[in-house]
Amino acid sequence: QASGDVVLLTPGLQFNYQISDRWKWSNTVRYNSVAGGSASTFRLPEVMALSQIAYRDELFQGQMIIQAGIDLFYQTAYEPLAYTPVTQQFYLQNGFESDAFLKGDVFLNLKVQSIIITAKMGHFNQPNNGGYFITPNYTGYERTLDLGVRWLFFD
């Protein structure tokens, strides 16, 4: 529905570093640039970054695999699309700016033979004021604790 051209430029860098046999550090950074006659119809944060540092080890002679770590996600401030639940569609809005935010998750995964146990504290760094907005009037994920068990019934 745009009346002119749009040029999206989203170069990124990916950096993975094996700190030791058990520690790994993974990073992705993406820069977003929108240009052209209808550039205002595309709303993207200028910078988005994802980083993970994780520990992995095998215990009890390989009978248990443990993985633990932290995920960090960052994005810069921008004017997001608004959402109307009646029509279930996003639309352009002006005037509301989503602040830059940093979201952190801590996780622990265990695998014992055919059973996988997971625990994740999502958005552990959520501030007391409620966190961040993904679109006007709709907040992003708040602090949560996710627990899961998966039992594979085959060898």
Side-chain angles (χ1 to χ4, degrees), residues 22-24 51-56 66-72 104-109 119-122 124:
R22 297 183 175 105
W23 287 94
K24 184 177 180 182
S51 184
Q52 180 188 80
I53 187 162
Y55 173 83
R56 184 182 185 281
I66 182 173
Q67 182 186 28
I70 184 170
D71 287 324
L72 297 173
D105 301 335
V106 177
F107 62 90
L108 172 67
N109 302 319
K120 176 181 159 186
M121 172 65 76
F124 71 86

Side-chain angles (χ1 to χ4, degrees), residues 34-105:
V34 183
S38 294
S40 64
T41 60
F42 285 85
R43 309 281 174 91
L44 297 171
E46 188 174 10
V47 175
M48 297 185 307
L50 179 63
S51 184
Q52 180 188 80
I53 187 162
Y55 173 83
R56 184 182 185 281
D57 198 4
E58 294 183 11
L59 306 172
F60 308 112
Q61 296 154 352
Q63 295 299 311
M64 176 189 281
I65 299 172
I66 182 173
Q67 182 186 28
I70 184 170
D71 287 324
L72 297 173
F73 174 77
Y74 172 77
Q75 75 177 30
T76 56
Y78 77 111
E79 282 189 339
L81 296 173
Y83 179 73
T84 178
V86 174
T87 61
Q88 298 180 353
Q89 293 191 8
F90 289 91
Y91 62 93
L92 290 174
Q93 61 84 30
N94 294 311
F96 178 85
E97 183 172 89
S98 176
D99 295 331
F101 69 88
L102 176 68
K103 179 180 172 288
D105 301 335

Side-chain angles (χ1 to χ4, degrees), residues 11-39:
L13 295 172
Q14 190 167 11
F15 170 74
N16 297 317
Y17 182 67
Q18 191 74 35
I19 299 169
S20 70
D21 290 345
R22 297 183 175 105
W23 287 94
K24 184 177 180 182
W25 183 30
S26 304
N27 299 283
T28 302
V29 177
R30 187 158 305 278
Y31 172 78
N32 299 308
S33 174
V34 183
S38 294

Side-chain angles (χ1 to χ4, degrees), residues 75 80-81 83 90 96 98-99 101 103 123 126-144:
Q75 75 177 30
L81 296 173
Y83 179 73
F90 289 91
F96 178 85
S98 176
D99 295 331
F101 69 88
K103 179 180 172 288
H123 202 180
Q126 176 185 355
N128 292 333
N129 68 0
Y132 61 99
F133 285 89
I134 55 171
T135 190
N137 303 317
Y138 293 92
T139 58
Y141 288 114
E142 296 184 4
R143 186 177 302 122
T144 57

